[in-house]
Amino acid sequence: MRKFISIAIIAALALSVTACGQFNTNESSGNNSTFSENSPKSEETLQDTSEDNASDTDAGVHTNEFDLSNGTVILNNGIEMPIIGIGTFTLSNEQAEDSVYWALGDGYHLIDTAAAYGNEEGVGRGIKRAIDDGIVKREDIFVTTKLWFDNYTMVGIDKALERLGLDYIDLLLLHQPMGDYIGGYQAMERAVEQGKVKSIGISNFSQTQFEEIMGIAKIPPAINQVETHPYNQQLEMINYMDKYGTVIEAWFPLGGRGHTQELFANETITAIAEAHGKSSAQVILRWHLQAGHIAIPGSNNPDHIKENIEIFDFELSAEEMRQMSGLDTATPYFGGFGGNNDVGDAADRWGLDVGN
């Protein structure tokens, strides 16, 4: 069973690509603001924003405007979320602990993990180390984890909290549109009511499956985490989710396993990188943020982790953004999970050793 779940995890993670980068507080970016995990906007502010969003939606613009000076976005529930983070897919507990610790030291505030990754305990240890060493406070960290489809229950939520060693989860997602995801979503809503979870969302859900959730939801998904990168820009999904104020979060924001170097060598990307004195990775991550995608690139290399967050000291021009848009082929590298009919195939496909 653990082998089956592991296989499913990698698929899910591939689907929920985590873009490379994080909430920047580096001096070079001039960003000295402090992220507050539980900082909902006032009712008046949200009302004003919704009026602005109406015109934005008509123009095909994202309803949730990214604050690139602070590196955050206000979700549809009024909570502020960092727009760049550290992903932990494929990392062991030991690797995840170090990566999270290094990332928090570099100024990251968003951390992404999942039950299927099998490293929530390591992530929790990395958070505890950083807090104990005075690097950050708990309220300055935004922790995302995901339930696996064989435990879309309150028990699954409590186990995630236990493994992470936390009193609450900032963002909890259903990892795949499999199993009883309707019951799982309702369980997450109860967890919000009980104070165990701040925000909820989904991962790898199609528009049809999203509508199923909206048919029963008391709380609309704040996030849909899906494979998003320059060759698969998810324009239809983004436009569809605008009406709900749901933000897209990119997993494999740099293309993912076996495809990163292909993106890094793209002539358009390398030319933009040279013009700004930046790496291809930094250009892609900056593009994600300016395009309205939260990015959670994964790494266990301290140099890459630091590089991925140093993206707040330059800006892509309108022409450069048009050039990046022109790279879209709307073709994913990873098909991932489509639904309950794909459960058996998923395990063989991804060879994950998933645990819950």
Side-chain angles (χ1 to χ4, degrees), residues 81-82 84-86 108-112 142 144 249 294-296:
M81 179 177 179
I84 189 77
I86 180 74
Y108 283 79
H109 294 269
L110 172 60
I111 301 165
D112 184 89
F142 194 102
T144 302
E249 185 171 23
I294 295 172
I296 43 174

Side-chain angles (χ1 to χ4, degrees), residues 20 30 38 46 71 88 144-145 166 171 183 188 213 238 250 254 293 315 340:
C20 169
N38 190 14
L46 287 174
T88 60
T144 302
T145 192
L166 300 176
L171 174 64
M188 292 198 302
I213 293 295
I238 290 169
L254 300 176
H293 318 150
E315 180 179 356
N340 279 314

Side-chain angles (χ1 to χ4, degrees), residues 34 186 206:
T34 300
Q186 292 170 325
S206 68

